[in-house]
PDB file of all heavy atoms in Angstrom:
ATOM      1  N   HIS N   1     113.313  38.255  62.435  1.00  0.00           N
ATOM      2  CA  HIS N   1     114.156  37.097  62.154  1.00  0.00           C
ATOM      3  C   HIS N   1     113.747  36.379  60.875  1.00  0.00           C
ATOM      4  O   HIS N   1     114.588  36.070  60.022  1.00  0.00           O
ATOM      5  CB  HIS N   1     114.104  36.135  63.343  1.00  0.00           C
ATOM      6  CG  HIS N   1     114.867  34.866  63.128  1.00  0.00           C
ATOM      7  ND1 HIS N   1     114.261  33.711  62.673  1.00  0.00           N
ATOM      8  CD2 HIS N   1     116.186  34.566  63.281  1.00  0.00           C
ATOM      9  CE1 HIS N   1     115.155  32.762  62.567  1.00  0.00           C
ATOM     10  NE2 HIS N   1     116.329  33.241  62.925  1.00  0.00           N
ATOM     11  N   ASP N   2     112.449  36.082  60.709  1.00  0.00           N
ATOM     12  CA  ASP N   2     112.000  35.310  59.562  1.00  0.00           C
ATOM     13  C   ASP N   2     112.306  36.027  58.250  1.00  0.00           C
ATOM     14  O   ASP N   2     112.694  35.403  57.262  1.00  0.00           O
ATOM     15  CB  ASP N   2     110.502  35.024  59.662  1.00  0.00           C
ATOM     16  CG  ASP N   2     110.178  34.026  60.763  1.00  0.00           C
ATOM     17  OD1 ASP N   2     111.130  33.407  61.276  1.00  0.00           O
ATOM     18  OD2 ASP N   2     109.001  33.877  61.107  1.00  0.00           O
ATOM     19  N   PHE N   3     112.111  37.347  58.252  1.00  0.00           N
ATOM     20  CA  PHE N   3     112.386  38.119  57.039  1.00  0.00           C
ATOM     21  C   PHE N   3     113.872  38.072  56.704  1.00  0.00           C
ATOM     22  O   PHE N   3     114.255  37.863  55.556  1.00  0.00           O
ATOM     23  CB  PHE N   3     111.929  39.567  57.217  1.00  0.00           C
ATOM     24  CG  PHE N   3     112.148  40.426  56.006  1.00  0.00           C
ATOM     25  CD1 PHE N   3     111.215  40.447  54.979  1.00  0.00           C
ATOM     26  CD2 PHE N   3     113.281  41.208  55.886  1.00  0.00           C
ATOM     27  CE1 PHE N   3     111.417  41.231  53.846  1.00  0.00           C
ATOM     28  CE2 PHE N   3     113.494  41.997  54.763  1.00  0.00           C
ATOM     29  CZ  PHE N   3     112.557  42.003  53.746  1.00  0.00           C
ATOM     30  N   ASP N   4     114.709  38.275  57.706  1.00  0.00           N
ATOM     31  CA  ASP N   4     116.159  38.265  57.478  1.00  0.00           C
ATOM     32  C   ASP N   4     116.628  36.887  57.004  1.00  0.00           C
ATOM     33  O   ASP N   4     117.477  36.780  56.117  1.00  0.00           O
ATOM     34  CB  ASP N   4     116.906  38.657  58.749  1.00  0.00           C
ATOM     35  CG  ASP N   4     116.702  40.120  59.107  1.00  0.00           C
ATOM     36  OD1 ASP N   4     116.426  40.906  58.179  1.00  0.00           O
ATOM     37  OD2 ASP N   4     116.804  40.470  60.292  1.00  0.00           O
ATOM     38  N   VAL N   5     116.061  35.834  57.597  1.00  0.00           N
ATOM     39  CA  VAL N   5     116.435  34.473  57.201  1.00  0.00           C
ATOM     40  C   VAL N   5     116.042  34.221  55.752  1.00  0.00           C
ATOM     41  O   VAL N   5     116.811  33.637  54.971  1.00  0.00           O
ATOM     42  CB  VAL N   5     115.781  33.434  58.136  1.00  0.00           C
ATOM     43  CG1 VAL N   5     115.905  32.030  57.548  1.00  0.00           C
ATOM     44  CG2 VAL N   5     116.417  33.484  59.511  1.00  0.00           C
ATOM     45  N   GLU N   6     114.851  34.649  55.364  1.00  0.00           N
ATOM     46  CA  GLU N   6     114.404  34.458  53.983  1.00  0.00           C
ATOM     47  C   GLU N   6     115.282  35.244  53.017  1.00  0.00           C
ATOM     48  O   GLU N   6     115.634  34.763  51.930  1.00  0.00           O
ATOM     49  CB  GLU N   6     112.942  34.889  53.839  1.00  0.00           C
ATOM     50  CG  GLU N   6     112.375  34.765  52.439  1.00  0.00           C
ATOM     51  CD  GLU N   6     112.293  33.327  51.942  1.00  0.00           C
ATOM     52  OE1 GLU N   6     112.505  32.396  52.742  1.00  0.00           O
ATOM     53  OE2 GLU N   6     112.017  33.136  50.738  1.00  0.00           O
ATOM     54  N   PHE N   7     115.645  36.455  53.409  1.00  0.00           N
ATOM     55  CA  PHE N   7     116.527  37.276  52.591  1.00  0.00           C
ATOM     56  C   PHE N   7     117.842  36.541  52.340  1.00  0.00           C
ATOM     57  O   PHE N   7     118.337  36.442  51.214  1.00  0.00           O
ATOM     58  CB  PHE N   7     116.771  38.610  53.300  1.00  0.00           C
ATOM     59  CG  PHE N   7     117.582  39.597  52.507  1.00  0.00           C
ATOM     60  CD1 PHE N   7     116.960  40.530  51.691  1.00  0.00           C
ATOM     61  CD2 PHE N   7     118.963  39.605  52.581  1.00  0.00           C
ATOM     62  CE1 PHE N   7     117.704  41.449  50.963  1.00  0.00           C
ATOM     63  CE2 PHE N   7     119.720  40.511  51.858  1.00  0.00           C
ATOM     64  CZ  PHE N   7     119.085  41.437  51.049  1.00  0.00           C
ATOM     65  N   MET N   8     118.435  36.005  53.419  1.00  0.00           N
ATOM     66  CA  MET N   8     119.696  35.272  53.303  1.00  0.00           C
ATOM     67  C   MET N   8     119.511  33.988  52.494  1.00  0.00           C
ATOM     68  O   MET N   8     120.375  33.612  51.696  1.00  0.00           O
ATOM     69  CB  MET N   8     120.236  34.915  54.693  1.00  0.00           C
ATOM     70  CG  MET N   8     120.460  36.089  55.608  1.00  0.00           C
ATOM     71  SD  MET N   8     121.689  37.238  54.963  1.00  0.00           S
ATOM     72  CE  MET N   8     121.751  38.431  56.304  1.00  0.00           C
ATOM     73  N   ARG N   9     118.383  33.317  52.697  1.00  0.00           N
ATOM     74  CA  ARG N   9     118.143  32.058  51.989  1.00  0.00           C
ATOM     75  C   ARG N   9     118.086  32.288  50.481  1.00  0.00           C
ATOM     76  O   ARG N   9     118.627  31.491  49.693  1.00  0.00           O
ATOM     77  CB  ARG N   9     116.828  31.434  52.459  1.00  0.00           C
ATOM     78  CG  ARG N   9     116.585  30.031  51.910  1.00  0.00           C
ATOM     79  CD  ARG N   9     115.134  29.636  52.011  1.00  0.00           C
ATOM     80  NE  ARG N   9     114.296  30.460  51.158  1.00  0.00           N
ATOM     81  CZ  ARG N   9     114.213  30.322  49.827  1.00  0.00           C
ATOM     82  NH1 ARG N   9     114.936  29.406  49.197  1.00  0.00           N
ATOM     83  NH2 ARG N   9     113.422  31.098  49.127  1.00  0.00           N
ATOM     84  N   ILE N  10     117.440  33.376  50.067  1.00  0.00           N
ATOM     85  CA  ILE N  10     117.336  33.674  48.639  1.00  0.00           C
ATOM     86  C   ILE N  10     118.717  33.936  48.046  1.00  0.00           C
ATOM     87  O   ILE N  10     119.060  33.431  46.972  1.00  0.00           O
ATOM     88  CB  ILE N  10     116.410  34.881  48.414  1.00  0.00           C
ATOM     89  CG1 ILE N  10     114.957  34.489  48.703  1.00  0.00           C
ATOM     90  CG2 ILE N  10     116.529  35.395  46.983  1.00  0.00           C
ATOM     91  CD1 ILE N  10     113.986  35.638  48.633  1.00  0.00           C
ATOM     92  N   LEU N  11     119.532  34.713  48.755  1.00  0.00           N
ATOM     93  CA  LEU N  11     120.873  35.001  48.252  1.00  0.00           C
ATOM     94  C   LEU N  11     121.727  33.731  48.190  1.00  0.00           C
ATOM     95  O   LEU N  11     122.479  33.521  47.235  1.00  0.00           O
ATOM     96  CB  LEU N  11     121.553  36.050  49.134  1.00  0.00           C
ATOM     97  CG  LEU N  11     120.927  37.451  49.109  1.00  0.00           C
ATOM     98  CD1 LEU N  11     121.722  38.399  49.993  1.00  0.00           C
ATOM     99  CD2 LEU N  11     120.854  38.004  47.687  1.00  0.00           C
ATOM    100  N   ALA N  12     121.591  32.875  49.219  1.00  0.00           N
ATOM    101  CA  ALA N  12     122.336  31.618  49.218  1.00  0.00           C
ATOM    102  C   ALA N  12     121.873  30.715  48.078  1.00  0.00           C
ATOM    103  O   ALA N  12     122.677  30.032  47.429  1.00  0.00           O
ATOM    104  CB  ALA N  12     122.171  30.909  50.553  1.00  0.00           C
ATOM    105  N   ASP N  13     120.568  30.730  47.806  1.00  0.00           N
ATOM    106  CA  ASP N  13     120.027  29.914  46.718  1.00  0.00           C
ATOM    107  C   ASP N  13     120.553  30.401  45.368  1.00  0.00           C
ATOM    108  O   ASP N  13     120.852  29.603  44.474  1.00  0.00           O
ATOM    109  CB  ASP N  13     118.498  29.981  46.737  1.00  0.00           C
ATOM    110  CG  ASP N  13     117.871  29.116  45.654  1.00  0.00           C
ATOM    111  OD1 ASP N  13     118.074  27.892  45.692  1.00  0.00           O
ATOM    112  OD2 ASP N  13     117.190  29.670  44.774  1.00  0.00           O
ATOM    113  N   GLN N  14     120.686  31.721  45.228  1.00  0.00           N
ATOM    114  CA  GLN N  14     121.243  32.265  43.988  1.00  0.00           C
ATOM    115  C   GLN N  14     122.686  31.806  43.805  1.00  0.00           C
ATOM    116  O   GLN N  14     123.115  31.483  42.689  1.00  0.00           O
ATOM    117  CB  GLN N  14     121.178  33.785  44.010  1.00  0.00           C
ATOM    118  CG  GLN N  14     119.761  34.325  43.891  1.00  0.00           C
ATOM    119  CD  GLN N  14     119.698  35.807  44.170  1.00  0.00           C
ATOM    120  OE1 GLN N  14     120.675  36.396  44.596  1.00  0.00           O
ATOM    121  NE2 GLN N  14     118.547  36.406  43.937  1.00  0.00           N
ATOM    122  N   LEU N  15     123.424  31.797  44.906  1.00  0.00           N
ATOM    123  CA  LEU N  15     124.812  31.341  44.850  1.00  0.00           C
ATOM    124  C   LEU N  15     124.876  29.880  44.398  1.00  0.00           C
ATOM    125  O   LEU N  15     125.672  29.507  43.533  1.00  0.00           O
ATOM    126  CB  LEU N  15     125.468  31.511  46.220  1.00  0.00           C
ATOM    127  CG  LEU N  15     126.916  31.057  46.360  1.00  0.00           C
ATOM    128  CD1 LEU N  15     127.813  31.819  45.404  1.00  0.00           C
ATOM    129  CD2 LEU N  15     127.397  31.223  47.789  1.00  0.00           C
ATOM    130  N   HIS N  16     124.012  29.053  44.982  1.00  0.00           N
ATOM    131  CA  HIS N  16     123.973  27.641  44.637  1.00  0.00           C
ATOM    132  C   HIS N  16     123.623  27.451  43.159  1.00  0.00           C
ATOM    133  O   HIS N  16     124.251  26.654  42.445  1.00  0.00           O
ATOM    134  CB  HIS N  16     122.951  26.939  45.518  1.00  0.00           C
ATOM    135  CG  HIS N  16     122.767  25.479  45.220  1.00  0.00           C
ATOM    136  ND1 HIS N  16     123.756  24.543  45.415  1.00  0.00           N
ATOM    137  CD2 HIS N  16     121.701  24.796  44.718  1.00  0.00           C
ATOM    138  CE1 HIS N  16     123.309  23.351  45.065  1.00  0.00           C
ATOM    139  NE2 HIS N  16     122.076  23.484  44.632  1.00  0.00           N
ATOM    140  N   ARG N  17     122.632  28.217  42.691  1.00  0.00           N
ATOM    141  CA  ARG N  17     122.212  28.095  41.288  1.00  0.00           C
ATOM    142  C   ARG N  17     123.317  28.543  40.330  1.00  0.00           C
ATOM    143  O   ARG N  17     123.481  27.976  39.251  1.00  0.00           O
ATOM    144  CB  ARG N  17     120.954  28.925  41.053  1.00  0.00           C
ATOM    145  CG  ARG N  17     119.699  28.315  41.665  1.00  0.00           C
ATOM    146  CD  ARG N  17     118.515  29.260  41.530  1.00  0.00           C
ATOM    147  NE  ARG N  17     117.338  28.729  42.173  1.00  0.00           N
ATOM    148  CZ  ARG N  17     116.445  27.943  41.580  1.00  0.00           C
ATOM    149  NH1 ARG N  17     116.616  27.595  40.315  1.00  0.00           N
ATOM    150  NH2 ARG N  17     115.389  27.498  42.228  1.00  0.00           N
ATOM    151  N   SER N  18     124.049  29.592  40.733  1.00  0.00           N
ATOM    152  CA  SER N  18     125.119  30.073  39.860  1.00  0.00           C
ATOM    153  C   SER N  18     126.198  29.009  39.696  1.00  0.00           C
ATOM    154  O   SER N  18     126.736  28.821  38.602  1.00  0.00           O
ATOM    155  CB  SER N  18     125.712  31.375  40.421  1.00  0.00           C
ATOM    156  OG  SER N  18     126.457  31.134  41.597  1.00  0.00           O
ATOM    157  N   PHE N  19     126.522  28.299  40.774  1.00  0.00           N
ATOM    158  CA  PHE N  19     127.508  27.223  40.683  1.00  0.00           C
ATOM    159  C   PHE N  19     126.997  26.089  39.794  1.00  0.00           C
ATOM    160  O   PHE N  19     127.739  25.567  38.948  1.00  0.00           O
ATOM    161  CB  PHE N  19     127.838  26.689  42.075  1.00  0.00           C
ATOM    162  CG  PHE N  19     128.880  27.479  42.796  1.00  0.00           C
ATOM    163  CD1 PHE N  19     128.531  28.433  43.726  1.00  0.00           C
ATOM    164  CD2 PHE N  19     130.229  27.272  42.542  1.00  0.00           C
ATOM    165  CE1 PHE N  19     129.486  29.168  44.399  1.00  0.00           C
ATOM    166  CE2 PHE N  19     131.200  27.999  43.207  1.00  0.00           C
ATOM    167  CZ  PHE N  19     130.837  28.951  44.139  1.00  0.00           C
ATOM    168  N   ARG N  20     125.746  25.718  39.982  1.00  0.00           N
ATOM    169  CA  ARG N  20     125.190  24.638  39.167  1.00  0.00           C
ATOM    170  C   ARG N  20     125.123  25.027  37.698  1.00  0.00           C
ATOM    171  O   ARG N  20     125.413  24.205  36.813  1.00  0.00           O
ATOM    172  CB  ARG N  20     123.788  24.290  39.671  1.00  0.00           C
ATOM    173  CG  ARG N  20     123.765  23.599  41.023  1.00  0.00           C
ATOM    174  CD  ARG N  20     122.363  23.212  41.420  1.00  0.00           C
ATOM    175  NE  ARG N  20     121.778  22.276  40.473  1.00  0.00           N
ATOM    176  CZ  ARG N  20     120.510  21.881  40.512  1.00  0.00           C
ATOM    177  NH1 ARG N  20     119.704  22.344  41.445  1.00  0.00           N
ATOM    178  NH2 ARG N  20     120.041  21.036  39.638  1.00  0.00           N
ATOM    179  N   ARG N  21     124.759  26.283  37.420  1.00  0.00           N
ATOM    180  CA  ARG N  21     124.667  26.736  36.032  1.00  0.00           C
ATOM    181  C   ARG N  21     126.033  26.699  35.353  1.00  0.00           C
ATOM    182  O   ARG N  21     126.173  26.208  34.236  1.00  0.00           O
ATOM    183  CB  ARG N  21     124.089  28.149  35.989  1.00  0.00           C
ATOM    184  CG  ARG N  21     123.908  28.676  34.566  1.00  0.00           C
ATOM    185  CD  ARG N  21     123.150  29.990  34.548  1.00  0.00           C
ATOM    186  NE  ARG N  21     123.856  31.043  35.234  1.00  0.00           N
ATOM    187  CZ  ARG N  21     123.537  31.544  36.429  1.00  0.00           C
ATOM    188  NH1 ARG N  21     122.488  31.062  37.076  1.00  0.00           N
ATOM    189  NH2 ARG N  21     124.234  32.509  36.981  1.00  0.00           N
ATOM    190  N   GLN N  22     127.032  27.227  36.052  1.00  0.00           N
ATOM    191  CA  GLN N  22     128.369  27.253  35.458  1.00  0.00           C
ATOM    192  C   GLN N  22     128.927  25.833  35.304  1.00  0.00           C
ATOM    193  O   GLN N  22     129.634  25.540  34.328  1.00  0.00           O
ATOM    194  CB  GLN N  22     129.308  28.089  36.321  1.00  0.00           C
ATOM    195  CG  GLN N  22     130.643  28.388  35.668  1.00  0.00           C
ATOM    196  CD  GLN N  22     130.486  29.180  34.381  1.00  0.00           C
ATOM    197  OE1 GLN N  22     129.644  30.069  34.309  1.00  0.00           O
ATOM    198  NE2 GLN N  22     131.269  28.837  33.373  1.00  0.00           N
ATOM    199  N   ASN N  23     128.614  24.966  36.250  1.00  0.00           N
ATOM    200  CA  ASN N  23     129.049  23.569  36.161  1.00  0.00           C
ATOM    201  C   ASN N  23     128.441  22.906  34.923  1.00  0.00           C
ATOM    202  O   ASN N  23     129.110  22.172  34.193  1.00  0.00           O
ATOM    203  CB  ASN N  23     128.633  22.826  37.426  1.00  0.00           C
ATOM    204  CG  ASN N  23     129.317  21.467  37.547  1.00  0.00           C
ATOM    205  OD1 ASN N  23     130.242  21.167  36.801  1.00  0.00           O
ATOM    206  ND2 ASN N  23     128.864  20.660  38.478  1.00  0.00           N
ATOM    207  N   ARG N  24     127.154  23.194  34.662  1.00  0.00           N
ATOM    208  CA  ARG N  24     126.476  22.609  33.506  1.00  0.00           C
ATOM    209  C   ARG N  24     127.087  23.134  32.200  1.00  0.00           C
ATOM    210  O   ARG N  24     127.284  22.382  31.242  1.00  0.00           O
ATOM    211  CB  ARG N  24     124.983  22.945  33.564  1.00  0.00           C
ATOM    212  CG  ARG N  24     124.155  22.247  32.501  1.00  0.00           C
ATOM    213  CD  ARG N  24     122.671  22.335  32.808  1.00  0.00           C
ATOM    214  NE  ARG N  24     122.233  23.705  33.001  1.00  0.00           N
ATOM    215  CZ  ARG N  24     121.873  24.212  34.186  1.00  0.00           C
ATOM    216  NH1 ARG N  24     121.908  23.463  35.274  1.00  0.00           N
ATOM    217  NH2 ARG N  24     121.463  25.466  34.290  1.00  0.00           N
ATOM    218  N   ILE N  25     127.391  24.447  32.170  1.00  0.00           N
ATOM    219  CA  ILE N  25     128.012  25.027  30.980  1.00  0.00           C
ATOM    220  C   ILE N  25     129.360  24.380  30.714  1.00  0.00           C
ATOM    221  O   ILE N  25     129.717  24.059  29.580  1.00  0.00           O
ATOM    222  CB  ILE N  25     128.163  26.558  31.146  1.00  0.00           C
ATOM    223  CG1 ILE N  25     126.777  27.230  31.163  1.00  0.00           C
ATOM    224  CG2 ILE N  25     129.025  27.150  30.039  1.00  0.00           C
ATOM    225  CD1 ILE N  25     126.817  28.688  31.500  1.00  0.00           C
ATOM    226  N   SER N  26     130.139  24.193  31.791  1.00  0.00           N
ATOM    227  CA  SER N  26     131.461  23.596  31.649  1.00  0.00           C
ATOM    228  C   SER N  26     131.363  22.175  31.100  1.00  0.00           C
ATOM    229  O   SER N  26     132.156  21.758  30.249  1.00  0.00           O
ATOM    230  CB  SER N  26     132.182  23.596  32.993  1.00  0.00           C
ATOM    231  OG  SER N  26     132.380  24.915  33.464  1.00  0.00           O
ATOM    232  N   ARG N  27     130.381  21.414  31.580  1.00  0.00           N
ATOM    233  CA  ARG N  27     130.213  20.043  31.103  1.00  0.00           C
ATOM    234  C   ARG N  27     129.819  20.031  29.618  1.00  0.00           C
ATOM    235  O   ARG N  27     130.315  19.223  28.832  1.00  0.00           O
ATOM    236  CB  ARG N  27     129.142  19.326  31.928  1.00  0.00           C
ATOM    237  CG  ARG N  27     129.591  18.973  33.340  1.00  0.00           C
ATOM    238  CD  ARG N  27     128.465  18.268  34.087  1.00  0.00           C
ATOM    239  NE  ARG N  27     128.831  17.970  35.457  1.00  0.00           N
ATOM    240  CZ  ARG N  27     129.532  16.903  35.828  1.00  0.00           C
ATOM    241  NH1 ARG N  27     129.955  16.045  34.912  1.00  0.00           N
ATOM    242  NH2 ARG N  27     129.817  16.704  37.101  1.00  0.00           N
ATOM    243  N   ASP N  28     128.897  20.950  29.240  1.00  0.00           N
ATOM    244  CA  ASP N  28     128.456  21.006  27.846  1.00  0.00           C
ATOM    245  C   ASP N  28     129.605  21.348  26.913  1.00  0.00           C
ATOM    246  O   ASP N  28     129.627  20.935  25.752  1.00  0.00           O
ATOM    247  CB  ASP N  28     127.335  22.042  27.688  1.00  0.00           C
ATOM    248  CG  ASP N  28     126.054  21.606  28.390  1.00  0.00           C
ATOM    249  OD1 ASP N  28     125.937  20.402  28.692  1.00  0.00           O
ATOM    250  OD2 ASP N  28     125.192  22.466  28.638  1.00  0.00           O
ATOM    251  N   GLU N  29     130.549  22.148  27.403  1.00  0.00           N
ATOM    252  CA  GLU N  29     131.684  22.548  26.576  1.00  0.00           C
ATOM    253  C   GLU N  29     132.837  21.556  26.662  1.00  0.00           C
ATOM    254  O   GLU N  29     133.921  21.805  26.115  1.00  0.00           O
ATOM    255  CB  GLU N  29     132.159  23.942  26.998  1.00  0.00           C
ATOM    256  CG  GLU N  29     131.120  25.035  26.706  1.00  0.00           C
ATOM    257  CD  GLU N  29     131.582  26.401  27.171  1.00  0.00           C
ATOM    258  OE1 GLU N  29     132.627  26.464  27.853  1.00  0.00           O
ATOM    259  OE2 GLU N  29     130.900  27.394  26.853  1.00  0.00           O
ATOM    260  N   GLY N  30     132.623  20.452  27.395  1.00  0.00           N
ATOM    261  CA  GLY N  30     133.634  19.420  27.470  1.00  0.00           C
ATOM    262  C   GLY N  30     134.779  19.738  28.389  1.00  0.00           C
ATOM    263  O   GLY N  30     135.845  19.106  28.311  1.00  0.00           O
ATOM    264  N   GLU N  31     134.585  20.694  29.302  1.00  0.00           N
ATOM    265  CA  GLU N  31     135.653  21.056  30.225  1.00  0.00           C
ATOM    266  C   GLU N  31     135.578  20.193  31.477  1.00  0.00           C
ATOM    267  O   GLU N  31     134.541  19.620  31.808  1.00  0.00           O
ATOM    268  CB  GLU N  31     135.535  22.535  30.614  1.00  0.00           C
ATOM    269  CG  GLU N  31     135.703  23.495  29.444  1.00  0.00           C
ATOM    270  CD  GLU N  31     135.531  24.929  29.887  1.00  0.00           C
ATOM    271  OE1 GLU N  31     135.437  25.169  31.111  1.00  0.00           O
ATOM    272  OE2 GLU N  31     135.481  25.824  29.019  1.00  0.00           O
ATOM    273  N   ASP N  32     136.678  20.126  32.170  1.00  0.00           N
ATOM    274  CA  ASP N  32     136.726  19.445  33.456  1.00  0.00           C
ATOM    275  C   ASP N  32     135.903  20.253  34.446  1.00  0.00           C
ATOM    276  O   ASP N  32     136.169  21.429  34.656  1.00  0.00           O
ATOM    277  CB  ASP N  32     138.182  19.357  33.934  1.00  0.00           C
ATOM    278  CG  ASP N  32     138.299  18.587  35.249  1.00  0.00           C
ATOM    279  OD1 ASP N  32     137.246  18.280  35.854  1.00  0.00           O
ATOM    280  OD2 ASP N  32     139.436  18.311  35.653  1.00  0.00           O
ATOM    281  N   PRO N  33     134.849  19.672  35.074  1.00  0.00           N
ATOM    282  CA  PRO N  33     134.021  20.417  36.012  1.00  0.00           C
ATOM    283  C   PRO N  33     134.806  21.076  37.130  1.00  0.00           C
ATOM    284  O   PRO N  33     134.385  22.080  37.689  1.00  0.00           O
ATOM    285  CB  PRO N  33     133.057  19.355  36.562  1.00  0.00           C
ATOM    286  CG  PRO N  33     133.023  18.297  35.523  1.00  0.00           C
ATOM    287  CD  PRO N  33     134.406  18.284  34.920  1.00  0.00           C
ATOM    288  N   SER N  34     135.958  20.501  37.457  1.00  0.00           N
ATOM    289  CA  SER N  34     136.729  21.085  38.558  1.00  0.00           C
ATOM    290  C   SER N  34     137.375  22.406  38.178  1.00  0.00           C
ATOM    291  O   SER N  34     137.919  23.103  39.020  1.00  0.00           O
ATOM    292  CB  SER N  34     137.814  20.106  39.004  1.00  0.00           C
ATOM    293  OG  SER N  34     138.748  19.866  37.954  1.00  0.00           O
ATOM    294  N   THR N  35     137.308  22.773  36.866  1.00  0.00           N
ATOM    295  CA  THR N  35     137.954  24.010  36.421  1.00  0.00           C
ATOM    296  C   THR N  35     136.944  25.095  36.074  1.00  0.00           C
ATOM    297  O   THR N  35     137.257  26.023  35.343  1.00  0.00           O
ATOM    298  CB  THR N  35     138.830  23.724  35.191  1.00  0.00           C
ATOM    299  OG1 THR N  35     137.981  23.307  34.108  1.00  0.00           O
ATOM    300  CG2 THR N  35     139.862  22.651  35.473  1.00  0.00           C
ATOM    301  N   PHE N  36     135.714  24.976  36.575  1.00  0.00           N
ATOM    302  CA  PHE N  36     134.699  25.931  36.166  1.00  0.00           C
ATOM    303  C   PHE N  36     134.730  27.229  36.970  1.00  0.00           C
ATOM    304  O   PHE N  36     133.885  28.089  36.804  1.00  0.00           O
ATOM    305  CB  PHE N  36     133.294  25.310  36.236  1.00  0.00           C
ATOM    306  CG  PHE N  36     132.734  25.185  37.623  1.00  0.00           C
ATOM    307  CD1 PHE N  36     132.000  26.212  38.182  1.00  0.00           C
ATOM    308  CD2 PHE N  36     132.929  24.022  38.350  1.00  0.00           C
ATOM    309  CE1 PHE N  36     131.458  26.080  39.459  1.00  0.00           C
ATOM    310  CE2 PHE N  36     132.407  23.901  39.622  1.00  0.00           C
ATOM    311  CZ  PHE N  36     131.666  24.926  40.183  1.00  0.00           C
TER     312      PHE N  36
END
């Protein structure tokens, strides 16, 4: 269980980071964050 949970947590964390990264890029380029 612990291994599987950690595996899923890492993938979920990558998903979260990808959204934050793209949101930051959109803001830097002056785009509406809702359109990223």
Side-chain angles (χ1 to χ4, degrees):
H1 176 265
D2 290 348
F3 181 84
D4 291 334
V5 167
E6 179 65 10
F7 185 92
M8 303 298 182
R9 188 199 66 76
I10 289 175
L11 294 182
D13 182 62
Q14 290 169 352
L15 179 60
H16 177 66
R17 287 174 183 271
S18 71
F19 276 98
R20 290 183 61 187
R21 182 172 63 254
Q22 191 61 39
N23 193 11
R24 187 166 55 251
I25 293 172
S26 298
R27 287 180 183 277
D28 292 342
E29 294 178 352
E31 297 178 8
D32 183 351
S34 63
T35 64
F36 76 89

